[in-house]
């Protein structure tokens, strides 16, 4: 095996980033990880090493620092691609702190692109979100659906990020794939890496597992008066390992120049909608744990239902989710039990 191609992974110690680092290593690449550790811990590196036998190089840098961004590229002048995960990601927090979100989610993107161009790095994968669709008019939602006015500064930074990237591909020698994630859940089956929510979990599945392990008294279900079969909101939940694999597939598409346009967008979901109540029931079945919950009012900003039309990713990218909701909930629960023991 020749020297591994180096791929810059920003936010590479985060939830999706760390799972992608594992998939890159298992596909013969060498991730170069940058993470400011604002929403993770450095010992995620040990988890990556335990799974793959390799401990990637890691820089604890804040990408809002232009000098640090330059330092990474001067130390790694042969990067073959960039996968940009690093961003603040909490919808609610973005409403309270819009400038933190606009600065942290957009300035690093611009600094990375400028260095990429000066070092001739031509392949860029962007972490986007189904949030850009808002409440779609038609379900399942496909990539041609209109991007609606964002309901939060967080969602807006994803929309603006895609516009910055598309404009840059028009003017410069760089090609981009933007992956619009639906709802990532679960953990690596080894339970060596997984989600590490800061404080009270915002997202459904970590709140479920923390309730099941006794950290939370009960799950609060935000609304059962939606126009859906059981009244609770519907999402497209996909296993984080499937999502990580989509990044490797997208990177290989660019490296092999199989992309049809310089700026491409793909929905990364399962194509299946699942309600909150169905997730609760599935968790109880998979784990045998009874989950205490209480129905409360709707959460502001939540959409009723969104799930992906996955045909473009299947046909063009050659990627399809393989793991089930049950796999993801089983892996999430195994991870929750593991970290509670070690804490
Ligand atoms: C899922 C469903 C809640 C918690 C967000 C971002 C998205 C992406 C994923 C970053 C909703 C309900 C949740 C709880 C509940 N993040 N819920 N009780 O809001 O679909 O997506 O996270 O990229 O961009 O928008 O995910 O997990 O927060 O909520 O009833 O304690 O679970 O109302 O219907 P969401 P979520």
């Amino acid at each position: 095996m020749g020297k591994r191609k180096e791929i810059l992974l920003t936010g590479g110690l985060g939830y999706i980033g760390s799972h992608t680092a594992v998939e890159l290593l298992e596909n013969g690449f060498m991730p170069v990880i940058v993470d400011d550790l604002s929403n993770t811990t450095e010992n995620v590196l040990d988890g990556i090493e335990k799974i793959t036998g390799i401990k990637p190089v890691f820089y604890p840098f804040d990408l809002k620092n232009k000098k640090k961004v330059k330092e990474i590229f001067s130390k790694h002048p042969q990067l073959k691609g960039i996968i940009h995960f690093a961003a603040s990601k909490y919808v609610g927090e973005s409403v309270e702190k819009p400038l933190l979100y606009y600065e942290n989610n957009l300035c690093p993107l611009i600094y990375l692109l400028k260095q990429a161009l000066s070092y001739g790095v031509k392949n860029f994968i962007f972490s986007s979100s189904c949030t850009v669709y808002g409440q779609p008019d038609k379900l399942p939602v496909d990539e041609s659906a209109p991007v609606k006015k964002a309901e939060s500064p967080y969602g807006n930074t994803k929309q603006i990020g895609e516009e910055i990237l598309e404009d840059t591909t028009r003017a410069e020698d760089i090609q981009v794939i933007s992956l619009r994630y639906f709802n990532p859940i679960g953990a690596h089956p080894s339970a060596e890496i997984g989600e590490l929510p800061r404080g009270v979990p915002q997202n459904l599945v970590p709140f479920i597992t923390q309730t099941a392990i006794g950290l939370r008294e009960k799950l609060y279900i935000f609304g059962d008066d939606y126009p859906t079969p059981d009244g609770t909101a519907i999402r497209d939940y996909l296993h984080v390992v499937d999502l990580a694999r989509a990044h490797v597939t997208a990177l290989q598409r660019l490296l092999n120049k199989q992309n049809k346009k310089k700026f491409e967008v793909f929905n990364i979901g399962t194509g299946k909608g699942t309600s909150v109540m169905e997730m609760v029931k599935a968790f109880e079945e998979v784990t045998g744990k009874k989950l205490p919950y209480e129905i409360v009012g709707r959460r502001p900003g939540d959409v009723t239902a969104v799930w992906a039309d996955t045909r473009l990713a299947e046909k063009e990218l050659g990627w399809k989710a393989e793991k089930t909701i049950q796999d993801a909930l089983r892996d999430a629960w195994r991870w929750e039990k593991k970290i509670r023991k070690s804490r």
Side-chain angles (χ1 to χ4, degrees):
M1 158 79 77
K3 192 170 170 324
R4 288 170 174 256
K5 289 186 171 76
E6 284 195 333
I7 307 297
L8 176 60
L9 218 48
T10 72
L13 292 188
Y15 176 40
I16 305 165
S18 56
H19 288 82
T20 302
V22 165
E23 296 306 318
L24 283 170
L25 285 162
E26 292 186 346
N27 281 274
F29 294 99
M30 179 50 76
V32 173
I33 294 180
V34 185
D35 200 302
D36 68 1
L37 299 177
S38 62
N39 197 22
T40 185
T41 59
E42 187 166 348
N43 54 37
V44 168
L45 264 179
D46 302 329
I48 293 169
E49 186 178 18
K50 284 212 189 86
I51 299 168
T52 64
I54 298 174
K55 188 170 194 170
V57 68
F58 162 62
Y59 298 96
F61 290 177
D62 179 345
L63 295 168
K64 293 193 292 293
N65 180 333
K66 282 187 203 172
K67 281 204 297 295
K68 291 297 184 189
V69 177
K70 287 188 175 143
E71 185 180 333
I72 298 160
F73 282 79
S74 64
K75 285 184 172 157
H76 298 272
Q78 299 297 325
L79 290 172
K80 293 288 173 277
I82 299 168
I83 307 181
H84 183 40
F85 291 105
S88 303
K89 57 157 268 184
Y90 295 108
V91 171
E93 184 183 49
S94 79
V95 175
E96 291 152 28
K97 303 174 184 168
L99 284 181
L100 182 147
Y101 273 68
Y102 286 113
E103 183 183 37
N104 195 47
N105 291 10
L106 298 176
C107 295
L109 172 62
I110 293 164
Y111 302 156
L112 283 167
L113 285 168
K114 291 171 82 169
Q115 289 307 307
L117 294 174
S118 60
Y119 279 82
V121 184
K122 300 186 181 346
N123 307 306
F124 195 104
I125 312 282
F126 181 61
S127 163
S128 188
S129 168
C130 63
T131 308
V132 303
Y133 297 118
Q135 176 57 64
D137 302 325
K138 192 170 73 67
L139 287 170
V141 62
D142 68 35
E143 291 83 350
S144 67
V147 167
K148 292 194 169 176
K149 173 143 180 41
E151 317 234 345
S152 69
Y154 161 76
N156 204 20
T157 64
K158 293 302 179 185
Q159 292 179 5
I160 298 168
E162 287 192 352
E163 289 168 1
I164 290 171
L165 286 159
E166 184 164 22
D167 289 346
T168 305
T169 61
R170 285 207 187 95
E172 305 283 358
D173 180 14
I174 189 166
Q175 44 189 17
V176 171
I177 291 180
S178 180
L179 298 179
R180 290 175 178 170
Y181 308 161
F182 284 70
N183 286 54
I185 60 170
H188 193 271
S190 67
E192 295 297 350
I193 54 173
E195 200 164 1
L196 289 166
R198 191 179 44 178
V200 178
Q202 305 294 307
N203 296 127
L204 178 65
V205 171
F207 205 106
I208 286 178
T209 56
Q210 287 193 11
T211 302
I213 204 142
L215 255 181
R216 310 281 160 204
E217 186 214 341
K218 64 177 110 168
L219 169 71
Y220 294 95
I221 295 182
F222 300 142
D224 68 346
D225 58 349
Y226 283 99
T228 61
D230 65 18
T232 63
I234 295 172
R235 296 289 184 276
D236 183 334
Y237 297 96
L238 80 152
H239 197 296
V240 66
V241 170
D242 277 329
L243 176 56
R245 288 178 181 156
H247 290 78
V248 179
T249 307
L251 177 69
Q252 288 166 331
R253 177 179 175 86
L254 293 182
L255 288 171
N256 301 332
K257 301 199 178 323
Q258 293 162 317
N259 53 314
K260 298 228 167 87
K261 294 182 291 179
K262 290 184 72 183
F263 179 76
E264 292 185 317
V265 172
F266 293 101
N267 285 343
I268 302 297
T270 66
K272 186 177 170 306
T274 304
S275 75
V276 177
M277 197 54 86
E278 286 169 331
M279 289 295 278
V280 169
K281 295 286 165 258
F283 182 81
E284 290 181 332
E285 271 155 37
V286 158
T287 61
K289 300 280 295 181
K290 190 88 191 84
L291 201 78
Y293 66 82
E294 180 186 337
I295 308 276
V296 292
R298 294 183 181 189
R299 180 172 66 176
D302 276 350
V303 296
T304 298
V306 60
W307 65 91
D309 180 323
T310 58
R311 282 174 296 177
L312 194 64
E314 285 170 34
K315 191 168 75 63
E316 276 306 311
L317 206 47
W319 174 88
K320 185 173 169 40
E322 289 156 13
K323 291 172 180 279
T324 64
I325 295 254
Q326 286 69 20
D327 296 329
L329 291 170
R330 191 175 303 115
D331 294 338
W333 179 229
R334 186 183 308 113
W335 167 248
E336 184 66 64
K337 287 185 285 185
K338 168 87 179 288
I339 50 177
R340 292 305 147 210
K341 265 213 271 322
S342 56
R343 284 207 172 166

